[in-house]
Amino acid sequence: MKMSTELVKDRKGFSILEENFTTQKVVVTSDWISRGPHEKAMQENSEFFYGNLLPVLRNADLTIVNVETVLGDLGKPIWKGGPTLKSSGKMTRALEVVPFHLACLANNHVRDYGAEGLAETIKLLHQAGIDTIGAGCCEEEITKPSIIKLGDTTLGILNVAEGESSLPPYVGAPGVASMDLQRIEKQISTLKEKIDVIMLIVHAGREYVPAPPPYIQEAYREMLRYGADVVIGHHPHVPQGIEIYQGRPIVYSLGNFAFWQPAPNPYQHLGYMVELEFKGSRLVSLAVIPYKILSDGLTLLEGEEEKHFYTEFQMISRLLYDSKKVAELWEAYVDIFYERTGGTKLVFDYSDQHSAAKTANCFRTITYSEMIITMMERVRDETIGTSPKWARDLVSRWMGISDS
């Protein structure tokens, strides 16, 4: 346990021991891509695009973003189950203007245009003065942590992902850092010897759900048991809550950042940044800063919208402390997915390259295999479709669908 000298007080409640550490602010954001109406908005005025989020970002000593796209013109699209994403290399200026200091690349899109596209993305970011983490041309570069000195705080950051098609296709190939818990445990153990604070930034889980699947919750908790001080997640494209586990925070999903999705689901147009304040080796505060995502940019939530966000955020965060409810939400999602995909019509297909890549991903990526196994077990046990109504209603709302 780390105790602050500020907690030593006189009988009137005033601190009697002064702490000399300076406060350092780190702001972590989530998924960024330049596409759709956002591309035009960024081109016309990048500062205006970030709106009143910009002062918060510029007030930080370190700003972090997940660049979930290939940058530049090099490479050819790979065969994969989902879409391949690419942005103009010129759009690094929309990252420079903030400025972002560190780009997380461990995600499921940064290798969409193969090794050549990944290398060009890293090159363009470095040319823009933005460091990268979570991807590279070889294993050493892929898994290398970022060690950053901020005043009295030495911060060690690891960036990992389930990765899907962004994982190296063979040993030694370019790609992103996997969510290999054995390797992560060893890295945390090594970092603990020389680092004040260890942060894990993870791109994983299931999309459009209000809570993490049970396996994600267990994996993120395990990272804290290994010795990490904070775990921050993205990938679900909707906000999820925060759990304080063994005295340390797990931020399960920040939702979208500058990631335009034309879907009408309101939760895909909401997100939040976290502003972490450190004094030496202590995390002294974590602020949740919500915003909405418009076609022409981002803007902080205010008034009734902000109040409503925090009310729902409190609700989904409380659920994380009840393992039964987390499991019921996962089962509700599986039930809804089963019903919406035609039940037994969900089959594995490898009749062409795209179908084969999609099917392979179901075996290779835990988020898909966990869903499929849970679905099959519920069909086998005749429990499919029996998830409780409260869970179905909440999952349906977060998915932006009508469950009737």
Side-chain angles (χ1 to χ4, degrees):
M1 180 181 72
K2 299 173 184 176
M3 181 176 175
S4 169
T5 56
E6 295 169 351
L7 296 177
V8 181
K9 301 178 181 181
D10 64 19
R11 64 190 182 90
K12 293 182 179 179
F14 295 102
S15 178
I16 58 175
L17 292 182
E18 185 176 342
E19 195 170 60
N20 295 320
F21 293 130
T22 57
T23 300
Q24 304 298 321
K25 289 185 179 181
V26 178
V27 172
V28 183
T29 66
S30 59
D31 309 337
W32 182 99
I33 183 175
S34 174
R35 70 169 180 177
H38 280 187
E39 181 177 17
K40 181 181 179 183
M42 289 178 187
Q43 287 174 338
E44 290 179 349
N45 190 330
S46 294
E47 289 196 353
F48 178 81
F49 175 83
Y50 295 105
N52 53 4
L53 280 68
L54 208 51
V56 178
L57 292 162
R58 288 179 172 171
N59 191 43
D61 300 288
L62 176 67
T63 50
I64 303 173
V65 64
N66 174 52
V67 175
E68 196 165 4
T69 180
V70 174
L71 293 167
D73 301 318
L74 299 183
K76 296 180 179 180
I78 64 172
W79 290 108
K80 60 180 293 186
T84 53
L85 303 182
K86 177 179 275 196
S87 300
S88 167
K90 295 178 182 178
M91 297 315 298
T92 54
R93 64 173 177 261
L95 295 167
E96 288 180 83
V97 74
V98 171
F100 283 108
H101 305 112
L102 182 64
C104 292
L105 298 181
N107 57 61
N108 56 309
H109 285 292
V110 78
R111 208 185 70 86
D112 279 358
Y113 284 74
E116 197 175 12
L118 172 59
E120 178 73 356
T121 300
I122 294 172
K123 176 185 172 183
L124 288 168
L125 288 167
H126 289 177
Q127 287 177 345
I130 302 167
D131 290 332
T132 57
I133 185 175
C137 66
C138 62
E139 185 175 359
E140 182 181 1
E141 186 178 326
I142 289 168
T143 60
K144 184 180 179 181
S146 282
I147 298 176
I148 301 170
K149 181 73 172 175
L150 299 173
D152 300 308
T153 303
T154 304
L155 180 65
I157 304 173
L158 293 171
N159 178 215
V160 302
E162 286 185 304
E164 303 185 34
S165 299
S166 285
L167 294 174
Y170 54 87
V171 176
V176 307
S178 69
M179 206 169 79
D180 179 342
L181 291 178
Q182 288 186 332
R183 188 199 70 245
I184 290 168
E185 181 180 19
K186 291 177 183 177
Q187 287 186 285
I188 290 174
S189 178
T190 301
L191 285 171
K192 282 302 243 188
E193 299 173 4
K194 53 186 176 181
I195 297 297
D196 294 315
V197 177
I198 297 175
M199 179 187 298
L200 263 291
I201 302 178
V202 189
H203 195 80
R206 204 73 192 105
E207 296 172 324
Y208 316 119
V209 289
Y215 83 92
I216 284 288
Q217 184 172 47
E218 177 55 26
Y220 289 8
R221 286 176 171 181
E222 188 81 322
M223 292 172 188
L224 292 188
R225 291 194 288 265
Y226 292 155
D229 297 289
V230 56
V231 176
I232 299 174
H234 37 61
H235 176 61
H237 294 301
V238 290
Q240 294 177 354
I242 292 178
E243 176 186 19
I244 305 302
Y245 180 75
Q246 296 185 350
R248 288 164 289 174
I250 303 173
V251 181
Y252 282 101
S253 173
L254 298 172
N256 280 327
F257 182 57
F259 195 100
W260 178 253
Q261 293 182 302
N265 180 4
Y267 294 97
Q268 290 173 244
H269 300 277
L270 289 175
Y272 64 96
M273 307 179 284
V274 285
E275 181 185 74
L276 305 108
E277 290 193 13
F278 296 98
K279 281 189 176 181
S281 61
R282 294 189 303 107
L283 173 62
V284 295
S285 74
L286 188 159
V288 171
I289 304 172
Y291 51 81
K292 57 184 174 181
I293 304 158
L294 305 174
S295 61
D296 61 350
L298 311 176
T299 185
L300 295 175
L301 294 183
E302 296 177 340
E304 287 301 313
E305 286 184 322
E306 183 182 22
K307 182 179 177 181
H308 180 69
F309 176 90
Y310 285 130
T311 298
E312 293 207 311
F313 188 79
Q314 208 172 33
M315 177 267 295
I316 59 175
S317 294
R318 282 198 300 264
L319 291 170
L320 297 167
Y321 297 90
D322 188 328
S323 58
K324 183 173 182 289
K325 288 183 177 178
V326 171
E328 286 175 341
L329 286 167
W330 175 240
E331 290 163 358
Y333 171 77
V334 170
D335 285 356
I336 292 169
F337 185 92
Y338 176 85
E339 292 159 8
R340 289 174 64 84
T341 53
T344 55
K345 292 181 181 178
L346 182 66
V347 296
F348 295 126
D349 181 9
Y350 44 91
S351 59
D352 54 48
Q353 288 171 291
H354 174 75
S355 299
K358 188 173 183 179
T359 298
N361 202 37
C362 292
F363 290 98
R364 182 170 49 213
T365 307
I366 300 174
T367 190
Y368 292 104
S369 61
E370 281 285 322
M371 179 186 71
I372 292 166
I373 290 169
T374 302
M375 189 186 307
M376 290 177 175
E377 288 176 343
R378 288 176 69 74
V379 171
R380 178 198 64 197
D381 299 339
E382 298 184 326
T383 56
I384 196 78
T386 64
S387 48
K389 185 177 186 303
W390 75 267
R392 291 183 66 104
D393 289 346
L394 184 57
V395 170
S396 296
R397 180 147 55 96
W398 240 251
M399 292 176 70
I401 62 174
S402 174
D403 182 37
S404 57

